[in-house]
């Protein structure tokens, strides 16, 4: 498995643990994201690195029972210092299930993948 796919999977395990059980280190989780991070979430309202930090810092354990499944990973493009990866993400709690298709732009920072931009689209 390539490093980009590994990062997508590992990040979602960390997010599931943090949001679902309040386990893990929020600073370690946040270190996966670029200081220039941007996101278009399901709501459509753009989110930047500061908003992401505020969300994760406040949300540890806020979604009890959260399970995240990632599949259908595809390498859209790759270059020496980054990549674009697409994937499907299914989030399940005791109350609901949401399915989204996501596209992430990665950049390398000191040899490690960093999330630079993420765009999510809800699957009907």
């Amino acid at each position: 498995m390539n490093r980009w796919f590994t990062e997508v999977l590992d990040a979602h395990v960390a997010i599931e643990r943090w949001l679902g059980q309040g386990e893990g280190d929020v600073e370690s989780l946040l270190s996966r994201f670029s200081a220039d991070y941007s996101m278009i979430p399901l709501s459509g309202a753009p989110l930047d690195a500061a908003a992401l930090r505020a969300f994760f810092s406040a949300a540890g354990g806020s979604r009890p029972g959260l399970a995240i499944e990632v599949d259908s990973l595809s390498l859209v493009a790759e270059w020496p210092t980054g990549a674009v990866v697409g994937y499907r993400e299914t989030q399940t709690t005791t109350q609901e299930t949401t399915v989204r298709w996501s596209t992430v732009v990665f950049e390398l920072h000191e040899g490690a993948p960093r999330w630079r931009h993420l765009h999510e689209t809800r699957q009907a």
Side-chain angles (χ1 to χ4, degrees):
M1 184 174 312
N2 71 49
R3 66 176 152 191
W4 314 112
F5 291 4
T6 298
E7 173 55 24
V8 169
L9 297 171
D10 290 350
H12 283 86
V13 168
I15 291 167
E16 177 184 287
R17 288 183 64 228
W18 178 249
L19 296 178
Q21 295 123 24
E23 295 176 356
D25 176 45
V26 71
E27 290 304 319
S28 177
L29 175 59
L30 288 167
S31 73
R32 295 175 177 278
F33 299 90
S34 167
D36 297 319
Y37 179 75
S38 60
M39 178 180 179
I40 306 298
L42 296 180
S43 69
L47 183 113
D48 63 11
L52 181 76
R53 173 171 285 281
F55 168 74
F56 277 130
S57 295
S62 65
R63 299 190 66 201
L66 174 66
I68 300 175
E69 179 184 336
V70 173
D71 62 16
S72 300
L73 290 132
S74 66
L75 186 61
V76 176
E78 184 175 27
W79 55 96
T81 60
V84 176
V85 172
Y87 61 93
R88 182 174 56 188
E89 175 183 344
T90 302
Q91 291 191 13
T92 304
T93 64
T94 56
Q95 300 173 353
E96 68 177 332
T97 296
T98 60
V99 180
R100 63 198 77 197
W101 287 93
S102 299
T103 305
V104 57
V105 177
F106 284 113
E107 61 187 12
L108 286 179
H109 178 74
E110 298 178 1
R114 292 289 180 265
W115 295 65
R116 176 61 182 84
H117 179 77
L118 178 64
H119 191 114
E120 299 179 326
T121 303
R122 182 182 307 270
Q123 177 176 305

